[in-house]
Amino acid sequence: NLGARVESLSKHYGTRLMCTQYTIDHISEERRKEFTFRPVDYVRVKGKEKPVQLWEVIDKFHHLADDLKSLENSRTAWTLYQTQKFSEAIKLCDEILKKHPMEKVCKHIKEYCEEFLHMPPPPNWDGVKTHTSKG
């Protein structure tokens, strides 16, 4: 069920292939070197209480595969969002979106940050996005 939920969230985040931290943890160190990942979100999916980390698998055809600076900036933007440094995350997302206007993961991060600048998260915010539908 979790795999199906993650697959359906791919459309929401505009990704072709995502996996969870659980999957990454079960790939051997040697095999893990063959892949490039970037964080997408930390979510609680419908029917599950425990949140999961979502990762996008970046293949050679991905629009950021040849733009390593933007790829690293997208990782940094996600970390800034998770640590509530919303303005800094927005700046990085804007840089990426200038080069890659169709970059949906950064669009989501930017939207989340803008919402929290307008209405800050509660003091006990854990960085988890709850999805109440199947996809």
Side-chain angles (χ1 to χ4, degrees):
N1 282 342
L2 179 58
R5 299 283 192 265
V6 171
E7 181 183 2
S8 67
L9 285 173
S10 290
K11 284 183 260 171
H12 172 77
Y13 290 104
T15 61
R16 291 190 303 186
L17 180 60
M18 286 196 306
C19 65
T20 66
Q21 184 66 49
Y22 178 82
T23 300
I24 292 173
D25 290 345
H26 285 80
I27 301 171
S28 70
E29 282 292 323
E30 191 63 30
R31 292 289 306 221
R32 203 176 301 163
K33 294 175 187 174
E34 298 174 24
F35 299 94
T36 301
F37 302 96
R38 74 162 164 171
V40 174
D41 213 343
Y42 195 48
V43 301
R44 188 174 291 108
V45 296
K46 182 177 178 156
K48 301 286 183 186
E49 287 298 314
K50 186 176 178 183
V52 294
Q53 171 72 54
L54 297 179
W55 294 87
E56 181 177 19
V57 181
I58 307 295
D59 63 22
K60 65 181 181 180
F61 302 108
H62 192 280
H63 58 275
L64 296 182
D66 294 327
D67 185 353
L68 298 181
K69 183 174 194 267
S70 290
L71 179 58
E72 188 55 36
N73 282 346
S74 73
R75 291 177 178 134
T76 302
W78 188 83
T79 300
L80 290 168
Y81 158 67
Q82 285 292 305
T83 57
Q84 300 187 35
K85 296 176 182 166
F86 304 125
S87 295
E88 293 172 54
I90 289 169
K91 287 178 189 175
L92 278 181
C93 288
D94 283 340
E95 284 180 32
I96 296 164
L97 290 166
K98 281 181 191 174
K99 291 173 146 181
H100 306 279
M102 301 308 289
E103 186 12 63
K104 289 189 178 182
V105 172
C106 283
K107 282 183 183 181
H108 281 287
I109 293 169
K110 181 179 176 182
E111 287 171 7
Y112 297 160
C113 290
E114 289 172 340
E115 288 173 17
F116 283 137
L117 283 176
H118 182 272
M119 180 177 282
N124 62 343
W125 182 67
D126 59 5
V128 177
K129 172 90 170 126
T130 300
H131 288 273
T132 55
S133 66
K134 291 184 179 180

